[in-house]
């Protein structure tokens, strides 16, 4: 078997570290070609020593200089090149001898390097859902043009991928689910840490409470998105693009135990579910080895330890961000681009204690209303809209600052 040369973008983050663990367990299958991240010198240096990539990149140039100093001081790392700057992330996503790219930079910063991988025709393991929220069919069209294969890492989409027929798996982005006998994608979510909290106290939610996810361990931004269920709304939009779904082909179901990671309902009444322990190494290993199966480090499910499984209809008064995202999905590309930009600003401000938890949806819905009829026909339109919506949302954050 040929060794796969992989570039890991966002290597110091939660998905990045889980990816490196899967690689660590399968050294005969993967070679780390390049690592890229934001500014965490300590983690990057440790991973450079272990995986010895050709190139290590930190977007923060000062952090890259510090990394370079550490690498050069370590006599036997002479072959590792260290580079600094955001633009270099796109170069390591498109290196001629890179076969695949794990796209796991968080937020809108993940888009440009993911696009570079796609344009270069790489196989892309897509964790950065924001790429699809921001650019939708433009992203899918680029992938089709360059014959880049997209494999979904997000656990729900990965679960659906596993439950879908092969013909759909092999035409991600432009599949025909109806022709394949699929009637619905059942998108499950835990409901986050505030599923039972009194709604009248949501104003007082702290960042610490919001990032304490009951079942999954994730980065801070996506943890807040899970608490508002904006994340599930984003996943609704992500499912639409990955599986070419229409609005009556996706339903959201709250399933607090997070054992079922999503399901696919077929026209004959059969429903296939993917079940596993909530550990991102399973979906990561699934995409990286597809169509084979490899060791991920995740243990088997202990069915006798599961007392019961619950399924609940989402209550939009508890999760207004979920409603806003679903409405934006059907409103169009401009709405979802604006929503992503606003949410990024609002969540960062909430984590900095500048606005309240309940202000997140205010900032987002006002931004969506302002920009949903702007142009989003081309990538240039989308980038301009993203900047304008980000600036508008920053102003709203100032308006709501506590
Ligand atoms: P994280 O915050 O743990 O890590 C983010 C990574 O991106 C870090 O390596 C960081 O250095 C890098 N980064 C951030 N901003 C950057 C910038 N401007 N330039 C360069 N690098 C930058 O995030 P995460 O939880 O690993 O999530 C990564 C992506 O995967 C997100 O898009 C998230 O929505 C998606 N995702 C995560 C999970 C999960 O379980 N963590 C599940 C599904 C999808
Ligand atoms: Mg998910």
């Amino acid at each position: 078997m040929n060794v796969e040369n992989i570039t890991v973008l966002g290597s110091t983050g939660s998905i990045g570290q889980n990816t490196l663990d899967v690689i660590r367990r399968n050294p005969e299958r993967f070679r780390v070609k390049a690592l890229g991240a934001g500014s965490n010198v300590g983690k990057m240096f440790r991973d450079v020593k272990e995986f010895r990539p050709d190139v290590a990149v930190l977007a923060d140039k000062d952090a890259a200089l510090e990394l370079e100093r550490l690498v050069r001081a370590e006599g036997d790392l002479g072959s590792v090149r260290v580079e600094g700057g955001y633009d270099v992330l796109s170069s390591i996503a498109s290196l001629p001898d890179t076969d695949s790219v794990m796209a796991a930079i968080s937020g809108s910063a993940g888009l440009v390097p993911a696009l570079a991988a796609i344009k270069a025709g790489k196989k892309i393991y897509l964790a950065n859902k924001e790429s699809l929220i921001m650019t939708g069919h433009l992203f899918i069209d680029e992938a089709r043009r360059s014959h880049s294969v997209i494999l979904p890492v997000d656990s729900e989409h990965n679960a659906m991928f596993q439950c879908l027929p092969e013909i759909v798996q092999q035409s991600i982005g432009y599949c025909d689910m109806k022709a394949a006998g699929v009637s619905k994608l059942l998108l499950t979510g835990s409901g986050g840490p505030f599923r039972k909290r009194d709604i009248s106290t949501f104003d007082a939610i702290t960042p610490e409470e919001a990032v304490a996810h009951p079942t999954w361990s994730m980065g801070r931004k996506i943890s807040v998105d899970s608490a508002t269920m904006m994340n599930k709304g984003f996943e609704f939009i992500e499912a639409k693009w990955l599986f070419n779904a229409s609005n009556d082909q996706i339903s959201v179901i709250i399933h607090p135990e997070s054992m079922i990671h999503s399901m696919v309902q077929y026209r004959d009444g059969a429903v296939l579910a993917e079940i596993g322990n909530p550990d991102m190494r399973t979906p990561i290993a699934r995409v990286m080895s597809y169509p084979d199966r490899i060791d991920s480090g995740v243990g088997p499910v202990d069915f006798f330890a599961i007392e019961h499984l619950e399924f609940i209809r989402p209550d939009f008064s508890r999760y207004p961000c979920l409603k806003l995202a679903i409405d934006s999905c059907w409103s169009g590309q401009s709405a979802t681009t604006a929503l992503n930009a606003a949410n990024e600003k609002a969540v960062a401000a909430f984590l900095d204690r500048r606005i309240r938890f309940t202000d997140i949806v205010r900032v987002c819905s006002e931004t969506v209303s302002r920009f949903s009829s702007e142009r989003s026909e081309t990538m240039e339109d989308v980038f301009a809209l993203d900047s304008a919506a980000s600036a508008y949302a920053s102003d709203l954050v100032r308006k709501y600052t506590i």
Side-chain angles (χ1 to χ4, degrees), residues 14-53:
S14 166
I15 295 286
Q17 293 289 298
N18 280 314
T19 302
L20 292 178
D21 191 53
V22 171
I23 293 172
R24 182 180 290 123
R25 291 164 191 279
N26 297 277
E28 70 298 341
R29 240 185 126 112
F30 302 102
R31 152 139 171 72
V32 177
K33 189 77 195 157
L35 294 174
S39 59
N40 191 326
V41 178
K43 267 193 194 164
M44 183 58 99
F45 181 51
R46 193 195 57 203
D47 294 336
V48 163
K49 280 198 285 187
E50 179 178 354
F51 293 97
R52 294 173 183 260

Side-chain angles (χ1 to χ4, degrees), residues 129 154-157 218 222 231-232 235 238 280:
K129 65 190 89 187
D154 207 349
S155 60
E156 295 75 7
H157 307 76
M218 307 178 285
I222 187 173
N231 183 52
K232 208 50 55 186
E235 290 178 351
E238 189 185 7
M280 287 307 291

Side-chain angles (χ1 to χ4, degrees), residues 194 197-207 209 350 355-362 402:
F194 309 131
R197 180 169 171 144
D198 177 356
I199 300 181
S200 70
T201 69
F202 274 24
D203 263 355
I205 287 171
T206 64
E209 289 170 330
F350 167 69
I355 61 170
R356 282 181 289 258
F357 185 78
T358 41
D359 294 329
I360 296 174
V361 71
R362 295 192 179 107
I402 333 168

Side-chain angles (χ1 to χ4, degrees), residues 70-293:
L70 290 170
V71 166
R72 296 288 81 92
E74 195 88 5
D76 64 341
L77 289 176
S79 63
V80 181
R81 211 167 74 239
V82 176
E83 295 196 37
Y86 178 74
D87 295 343
V88 194
L89 294 166
S90 294
S91 329
I92 60 169
S94 51
L95 289 171
D97 48 356
T98 277
D99 302 305
S100 58
V101 174
M102 171 58 72
I105 290 175
S106 55
S108 54
L111 171 62
V112 171
L115 267 178
I118 290 239
K119 285 184 178 160
K122 305 299 181 194
K123 180 162 61 153
I124 182 163
Y125 306 135
L126 189 64
N128 178 268
K129 65 190 89 187
E130 293 87 346
S131 296
L132 282 175
I133 316 303
M134 291 172 76
T135 67
H137 76 91
L138 296 167
F139 193 85
I140 299 290
D141 292 350
E142 286 286 358
R144 272 197 96 172
R145 239 192 313 275
S146 60
H147 304 288
S148 166
V149 171
I150 302 174
L151 291 159
V153 173
D154 207 349
S155 60
E156 295 75 7
H157 307 76
N158 187 273
M160 293 171 191
F161 176 84
Q162 297 201 47
C163 297
L164 283 163
E166 196 177 336
I167 187 155
V168 172
Q169 291 176 336
Q170 291 181 355
S171 48
I172 291 298
Y174 53 94
C175 49
D176 184 346
M177 288 199 295
K178 206 163 174 205
V182 174
S183 58
K184 226 169 202 172
L185 302 172
L186 306 176
L187 173 63
T188 57
S190 72
F194 309 131
R195 190 170 58 82
K196 291 187 171 163
R197 180 169 171 144
D198 177 356
I199 300 181
S200 70
T201 69
F202 274 24
D203 263 355
I205 287 171
T206 64
E208 291 72 25
E209 289 170 330
V211 300
H213 196 274
T215 49
W216 292 93
S217 149
M218 307 178 285
R220 279 161 64 80
K221 193 248 176 191
I222 187 173
S223 295
V224 176
D225 289 346
S226 299
T228 58
M229 278 193 91
M230 182 67 89
N231 183 52
K232 208 50 55 186
F234 280 172
E235 290 178 351
F236 190 101
I237 302 165
E238 189 185 7
K240 168 191 155 93
W241 293 117
L242 287 171
F243 304 114
N244 197 19
S246 57
N247 60 359
D248 57 348
Q249 282 180 317
I250 316 172
S251 291
V252 176
I253 299 176
I254 294 184
H255 162 52
E257 295 79 16
S258 300
M259 292 305 295
I260 295 175
H261 303 142
S262 278
M263 301 180 268
V264 174
Q265 179 184 308
Y266 285 83
R267 64 188 293 188
D268 58 7
V271 177
L272 303 193
E274 190 261 342
I275 301 177
N277 290 320
D279 186 320
M280 287 307 291
R281 290 176 301 175
T282 297
I284 290 169
R286 172 77 294 229
V287 291
M288 286 173 58
S289 64
Y290 180 80
D292 301 340
R293 294 273 179 179

